[in-house]
Amino acid sequence: MNTTPHPRSTRDRPAKPPLSRDAVVDAALALLKSEGLDAVTMRRVAAALDTGPASLYVYVAGREGLLQAIQDRIIATIELEEPDRLRWRGQLHTLLDRMYRALVAHPGIAATTMTEPPSMDATLHLLENILGLLLAGGLEPQDAAWAADIFALLVSYAAMEADARRTNPREQADELYQRFTSLSPETFPLVTAYATQLVAGDSEERFHVAIDMVVDGMIARATRR
Amino acid sequence: MNTTPHPRSTRDRPAKPPLSRDAVVDAALALLKSEGLDAVTMRRVAAALDTGPASLYVYVAGREGLLQAIQDRIIATIELEEPDRLRWRGQLHTLLDRMYRALVAHPGIAATTMTEPPSMDATLHLLENILGLLLAGGLEPQDAAWAADIFALLVSYAAMEADARRTNPREQADELYQRFTSLSPETFPLVTAYATQLVAGDSEERFHVAIDMVVDGMIARATRR
DNA sequence: GAGCTGGACGTACGCTGTTCGTGACGAACA
DNA sequence: TGTTCGTCACGAACAGCGTACGTCCAGCTC
């Protein structure tokens, strides 16, 4: 047997499981869930996989591509609704609420969904489902198509607000209320008078009201034709 | 006369105007307008002022504080509307359109407005004006308070989309249409069927429709009470 | 065996925001 | 006048960041 005592290569491959796209995304997702978006750096992900950051570029198109893969993973966990003409509105709320919760369970990811055109599989399935619900409700196709964008936006925003609240629980609304009520009533008669309304509702409540406003608006538009 | 040839101090103050908060924000704003948000780094701003980045921290609370100051500057340029009970709806569109244009004129800034609670002067004046218009329209105060948030969100989003389009003019909608129409009609019957509607409209058109949907929804809710 | 290919990844580049310590200097005081 | 104190200015350094580039090596094919 040849037992030459030469230095062990730092690229000792058989000692580590081979990387894969799934492994990379899994590691990133775990970091996201436990430490939030800022922890999802190429170095941190690579360290979690016992490798170096340059190794990841085979599997993901940079950090941007990694974040997209994570988003799609998260969206893929959302249970869809079978459109029902009689219940579509409640179903829409349910579906968007699930999306909201999926985002909130991953601190910080909501902000990365904001400008993503729907192009990956899970996101497209979600879009298809939203369209299905809106059309089941008899809404105009053009309005439905545009509203899908708006609903996605509302979800992302609500999740971002929930993220901000997590960092600063309860303190934010209080500070804001203080700010509003300490303004000059001469200069800001409405803001001071309606300070309570301006800070009312948690992000979920505001979120569901926002959905309703958009839906009610679409119904009014459809009724008008 | 004493002409001792000793090394000239690098802190030759009389040769430079003293820094000020306005000077810092002005320099940052100029960089933002000409090169977009990514150029607004502490080093770039400092270089524009012929100093070092550490000098800026006397005037702004880090980059975050600098961005907030910039936002407020931009918002302060927006001409407000005197609320008129008969024209409030058109006025709202006009006001939000001005906001949209102000953001679009500063590439990338829209994304930084997304999670900012309204706390600086110009932003508060804008909020006061939006509330004024909505209440002039006879809408419910609680709905008006919540809708102000939604309108701000819609503006930011539209501006962000315009920013993205600037980077990728026309190409994005085409790619998306291609993507949608090349999907399996079995799996995505609606997305494929309504691909045209999904990519229709530029960011301004979609923006104004979104405003209308929210407004129509609020009117329906007010009518229902 | 030789050559090729693609995965693995170390090294280095060019940046980022921020902190800390020090110098310069004006105002106030004794 | 000399000294003290507070504030501005800012260099140096810290602790990162994403990524490009070049090298190594295992596995495969001929």
Side-chain angles (χ1 to χ4, degrees), chain A residues 3 11-12 31 34 38 46 60 72 76 79-80 87 90 114 118-120 162 164 177 180 202-203 205 216 220 223:
Chain A
T3 55
R11 296 204 187 144
D12 196 337
L31 270 177
S34 60
D38 287 346
V60 290
D72 209 55
E79 183 192 341
L80 303 181
R87 299 187 301 122
M114 199 54 89
S119 60
M120 291 183 92
Y177 183 77
F180 289 157
D202 59 22
S203 63
E205 192 176 358
D216 286 335
T223 306

Side-chain angles (χ1 to χ4, degrees), chain A residues 34-222:
Chain A
S34 60
E35 299 186 42
L37 188 65
D38 287 346
V40 186
T41 67
M42 304 307 275
R43 284 172 171 80
R44 286 292 305 274
V45 175
L49 294 164
D50 192 28
T51 187
S55 309
L56 307 185
Y57 290 84
V58 175
Y59 302 100
V60 290
R63 187 170 187 267
E64 187 69 37
L66 176 60
L67 293 181
Q68 279 179 11
I70 294 175
Q71 284 166 27
D72 209 55
R73 265 298 174 77
I74 293 169
I75 301 293
T77 67
I78 296 165
E79 183 192 341
L80 303 181
E81 290 283 320
E82 188 66 44
D84 178 336
R85 199 171 52 84
L86 297 179
R87 299 187 301 122
W88 68 274
R89 186 163 184 161
Q91 286 179 303
L92 180 67
H93 275 275
T94 299
L95 180 65
L96 297 180
D97 192 62
R98 284 189 199 131
M99 188 178 168
Y100 166 79
R101 288 176 196 286
L103 293 182
V104 169
H106 299 83
I109 199 67
T112 74
T113 65
M114 199 54 89
T115 50
E116 284 304 317
S119 60
M120 291 183 92
D121 269 8
T123 316
L124 287 167
H125 278 105
L126 186 63
L127 174 60
E128 179 80 16
N129 200 211
I130 292 174
L131 283 180
L133 295 176
L134 297 177
L135 295 173
L139 301 174
E140 287 289 319
Q142 185 57 82
D143 276 2
W146 281 340
D149 236 19
I150 300 171
F151 290 132
L153 173 64
L154 292 174
V155 173
S156 299
Y157 182 65
M160 280 164 73
E161 281 200 313
D163 285 341
R165 280 225 185 185
R166 184 181 356 226
T167 312
N168 226 356
R170 203 73 208 116
E171 218 170 307
Q172 217 178 14
D174 287 348
E175 281 175 17
L176 210 46
Y177 183 77
Q178 276 290 93
R179 176 91 171 97
F180 289 157
T181 51
S182 60
L183 294 169
S184 156
E186 264 88 57
T187 310
F188 299 103
L190 300 178
V191 172
T192 50
Y194 297 109
T196 301
Q197 286 89 340
L198 283 167
V199 302
D202 59 22
S203 63
E204 286 187 40
E205 192 176 358
R206 296 166 82 102
F207 169 52
H208 283 283
V209 168
I211 296 169
D212 273 333
M213 282 185 188
V214 175
V215 171
D216 286 335
M218 291 170 76
I219 290 172
R221 290 161 68 90

Side-chain angles (χ1 to χ4, degrees), chain B residues 19 24 34 36 39 43-44 68 75 93 102 106 110 116-117 120 127 129 133 161 171 177 184-185 187 198 215 224:
Chain B
L19 288 182
V24 173
S34 60
R43 284 173 170 80
R44 288 291 307 273
Q68 278 180 14
I75 301 293
H93 275 277
H106 298 85
E116 286 301 321
M120 292 183 93
L127 174 60
N129 200 209
L133 295 176
E161 281 201 314
E171 216 170 305
Y177 184 76
S184 156
T187 311
L198 284 167
V215 171
R224 226 185 283 150

Side-chain angles (χ1 to χ4, degrees), chain B residues 10-93:
Chain B
T10 56
R11 296 202 185 143
D12 197 336
R13 285 209 171 104
K16 301 201 278 189
L19 288 182
S20 67
R21 182 176 169 88
D22 272 354
V24 173
V25 179
D26 283 344
L29 203 46
L31 270 177
L32 175 64
K33 288 189 95 168
S34 60
E35 298 186 45
L37 187 65
D38 287 348
V40 186
T41 67
M42 304 307 276
R43 284 173 170 80
R44 288 291 307 273
V45 175
L49 293 164
D50 192 26
T51 186
S55 309
L56 308 185
Y57 289 85
V58 175
Y59 302 99
V60 289
R63 187 170 187 267
E64 187 69 38
L66 176 60
L67 292 181
Q68 278 180 14
I70 294 174
Q71 284 167 27
D72 210 54
R73 269 292 179 78
I74 293 168
I75 301 293
T77 66
I78 296 165
E79 183 192 340
L80 304 181
E81 289 282 320
E82 188 66 45
D84 178 336
R85 197 169 52 82
L86 297 178
R87 300 187 300 120
W88 68 274
R89 188 162 182 160
Q91 286 178 303
L92 179 67
H93 275 277

